[in-house]
Amino acid sequence: MTIDDIETTAGDGEREPDPSDSLRTFGAVVQALREHAGLSRAEFAIRVRFSKHTVESVELGRRMPDEEFVERAEEALGNTGALRRAARHLMRGEAGLAAWFRRWARLERVAVSLSTYECRLVPGLLQSEGYARAAFEGRLPPLSDAQLETQLTARMKRQALIRERPNTVFSFIMDEHVIRRRLGGVDVTRGQLNHMLASARLRNVEVQIMPTNCESHAGLDGPLALLERPDGRRLAYSEGQESGRLIADSKLAAVLHQRYATLRSQALNPLDSVGLLERIRGAL
């Protein structure tokens, strides 16, 4: 499956709380073709028999166009086929995932390898439900109950990648202080350690801990996520406060992959890392 294979349709009355990249792109194409035809939004709305408000929402990527809108827009704009083809690749904003993270999340689904370094908290793909809930409960500004449950569901659903893709290699490196932090209390921490140890036993998962007494550290610039696509292309992702950056430049991605390789050599090997996790669990 490729990203282009994911198709979604919805009715005219459905609005997207967070526009996806594909919705914005489709809307921009509609607007460009409309303006090229010399039509105002009001004039175009009459031709496609939708309200001006609906046309505006589609062009701004706020609304998923239904099949009728696409077909009427095609007829009104010259029947080039461009809108029909573009509509096949439309994807809604994914509930529970930050807008800046969604493109990376889609790339994760087709990657042949995924590598993550974290110095702040346990990576999302390795979080227990209790740990994830504790993290979301501490979010500022506070989340509503509905928002918290939506984000928790999305995180747990994303974790299915590990078991659904047994031929994908997952590598995780975490600083030791991350696993010693008792986020949510002792019971939550113990549950998180049990969850992480269970994941580390899977053949496609490798967990390594960067000890606090390590005198060299290649990850001082912060968290890092890497992946390799089926075509061999390497990408990277960096996330900060309320923002995320997909790094597609091959030279920069190569530098970050090199840093991760160095981190793997500096961290405890997987067997010793599991031993450390078990000792921390036993001390709780």
Side-chain angles (χ1 to χ4, degrees):
M1 183 181 71
T2 67
I3 292 174
D4 291 340
D5 292 328
I6 303 172
E7 300 179 6
T8 308
T9 59
D12 175 59
E14 295 185 22
R15 292 177 59 84
E16 301 303 318
D18 294 300
S20 66
D21 290 340
S22 62
L23 282 175
R24 292 192 186 95
T25 300
F26 180 85
V29 172
V30 172
Q31 181 174 350
L33 290 175
R34 172 182 61 77
E35 292 175 348
H36 182 72
L39 299 172
S40 67
R41 278 183 178 155
E43 292 168 335
F44 181 62
I46 293 172
R47 294 200 183 190
V48 296
R49 303 192 299 281
F50 281 88
S51 69
K52 179 183 175 183
H53 175 73
T54 296
V55 170
E56 179 180 20
S57 294
V58 170
E59 290 188 349
L60 295 178
R62 295 174 179 167
R63 187 185 298 269
M64 175 73 76
D66 65 9
E67 186 175 347
E68 285 188 355
F69 183 96
V70 175
E71 289 301 318
R72 293 176 192 174
E74 273 284 9
E75 294 173 5
L77 298 173
N79 269 319
T80 64
L83 295 181
R84 291 190 187 96
R85 288 193 293 272
R88 295 173 192 158
H89 308 303
L90 282 172
M91 286 180 286
R92 303 157 69 94
E94 298 176 70
L97 295 180
W100 59 83
F101 182 73
R102 289 173 185 151
R103 188 178 177 191
W104 183 259
R106 295 196 296 270
L107 289 167
E108 286 183 330
R109 298 172 195 158
V110 298
V112 296
S113 70
L114 281 159
S115 302
T116 305
Y117 162 66
E118 259 295 354
C119 56
R120 305 167 302 180
L121 75 171
V122 173
L125 287 173
L126 284 183
Q127 291 179 8
S128 68
E129 184 172 343
Y131 185 98
R133 183 178 293 278
F136 288 133
E137 286 177 345
R139 182 73 55 85
L140 291 173
L143 300 174
S144 68
D145 289 346
Q147 288 173 325
L148 190 151
E149 294 302 326
T150 296
Q151 295 199 19
L152 183 62
T153 298
R155 180 152 299 176
M156 295 300 103
K157 181 179 178 181
R158 178 171 160 250
Q159 286 189 6
L161 278 174
I162 292 178
R163 295 185 182 275
E164 290 175 353
R165 299 185 62 81
N167 299 120
T168 297
V169 177
F170 294 84
S171 171
F172 300 95
I173 301 174
M174 287 160 280
D175 282 347
E176 183 179 343
H177 69 264
V178 169
I179 58 173
R180 289 189 179 277
R181 180 180 293 125
R182 297 185 179 182
L183 183 68
V186 172
D187 289 342
V188 169
T189 302
R190 184 179 294 110
Q192 173 58 53
L193 289 167
N194 288 336
H195 183 76
M196 200 182 309
L197 284 165
S199 297
R201 295 187 186 102
L202 299 173
R203 288 193 298 274
N204 63 330
V205 176
E206 186 178 81
V207 175
Q208 292 182 258
I209 306 302
M210 178 68 75
T212 54
N213 62 2
C214 185
E215 296 182 1
S216 297
H217 197 312
L220 296 179
D221 284 345
L224 181 62
L226 310 168
L227 65 74
E228 183 177 351
R229 304 195 323 182
D231 61 5
R233 187 178 181 191
R234 292 179 167 187
L235 303 173
Y237 175 77
S238 177
E239 188 169 84
Q241 296 277 346
E242 301 298 319
S243 64
R245 178 189 176 201
L246 175 62
I247 300 167
D249 179 84
S250 59
K251 291 183 179 179
L252 182 52
V255 169
L256 298 180
H257 277 261
Q258 183 180 24
R259 288 181 187 173
Y260 192 85
T262 303
L263 276 169
R264 293 183 71 175
S265 69
Q266 294 170 336
L268 297 176
N269 65 48
L271 183 61
D272 289 342
S273 294
V274 166
L276 177 59
L277 290 171
E278 291 174 336
R279 290 195 298 276
I280 293 175
R281 181 184 60 179
L284 291 176

